[in-house]
Amino acid sequence: KTKSRELRYSFMYKNEENFMSNVIIKATNDQLSQMKAYYRSYLLNKQIPYTSFAAKKDGTTITAYTSGKVMFQGTNAAIEADKWGEAQDKQAKPAKTASSLPKNISQLSVLGSDEVGNGSYFGPLTVCAAYVKRDQLAELRKLGVRDSKELKDSQIIQLADILKKTIPYKLLVLSPEKYNEIQPKYNAVRMKVALHNQAIHLLLKKIEPEKPEAILIDQFTPEANFKKYARLEKNQLQEKLYFVTKGEQYHLAVAAASIISRASFLEELDKASAEAGITLPSGAGTKSDQVAAKLLEKGGMPMLEKYAKLHFANTEKALKLLKK
Ligand code: MN
């Protein structure tokens, strides 16, 4: 328990700057001159060696290097970089079709990742990367590790505890409060890409010098889309990256990642329920609307935003329930 809390704090504070407000892209010469023209009213009058130009717009500093690297720093870094990330994409070669998995992937040493909470109005978004080596596959199978959708909540929590002691993993927990803060800037897909990217990067560091034979991401967006957003992240994943839906059926590392992230989601929802003094349901149905209305009654929007992902339609529905 203390472990997931520690990781959450380190993620929210220590890594936040890298994660959210420092973006580097690679631009062509043509793009560099387009950008210089675009930022002409914001250019900074200073000469920095090896830079083509520097500008400051709405709290974001843009530094373009003659090498073609362009760095965006500050509160709106992601938004500014996105303008050019897109442009860069259109000039890139046509998107490849999804890379096919190695035939024997289920037998390899694989780093897998999965997330939970994306479809739930209440509770955090949790993302886990887990590493399972070839020689641990049998042990995990014996423990009963499989698709978390086939397991009861009590089994998930029990299994997650064992897994955390058995395999290396990284768990990132994005609280609803933090989610609401980021969501206007990062759409839900981009947020997930950033979290998967970061969890995998941190786990790769942790298991060094060991290297997985493949990295398998439980697919939530087309591969080209993932790569487009991942390019905006500070830490770039290069090698042996594979995407597949229902990833837990292809390798136990994804199943383990889904169990650990699901257990964390359930624990967080429990804690939040205790704090709020009302049972916060999982999912996004009418029950969620009703509970949201009660929270609004109790503490208004400042209370609701601590527990719920506000951009869901449930918020509007809860406000309507209140007016009745
Ligand atoms: Mn998934």
Side-chain angles (χ1 to χ4, degrees), residues 144-215:
V145 173
R146 60 201 148 106
D147 188 351
S148 68
K149 286 169 208 86
E150 292 172 19
L151 299 165
K152 279 186 261 164
D153 287 356
S154 56
Q155 291 175 303
I156 286 171
I157 288 168
Q158 218 179 358
L159 265 176
D161 275 345
I162 303 171
L163 282 171
K164 286 174 173 179
K165 290 174 203 140
T166 315
I167 55 170
Y169 71 97
K170 274 287 172 187
L171 173 65
L172 301 178
V173 180
L174 190 65
S175 70
E177 246 175 333
K178 199 74 201 170
Y179 182 103
N180 293 329
E181 203 183 304
I182 299 163
Q183 190 273 329
K185 283 189 259 173
Y186 275 49
N187 65 51
V189 172
R190 181 159 179 205
M191 222 185 298
K192 280 194 278 181
V193 170
L195 288 162
H196 275 262
N197 191 82
Q198 182 79 344
I200 293 167
H201 169 76
L202 293 173
L203 185 54
L204 284 171
K205 288 231 129 188
K206 186 176 178 177
I207 63 173
E208 259 171 10
E210 171 94 21
K211 280 193 196 305
E213 291 170 291
I215 298 172

Side-chain angles (χ1 to χ4, degrees), residues 114-115 149 218 248:
D114 196 12
E115 84 286 331
K149 286 169 208 86
D218 191 38
E248 62 280 336

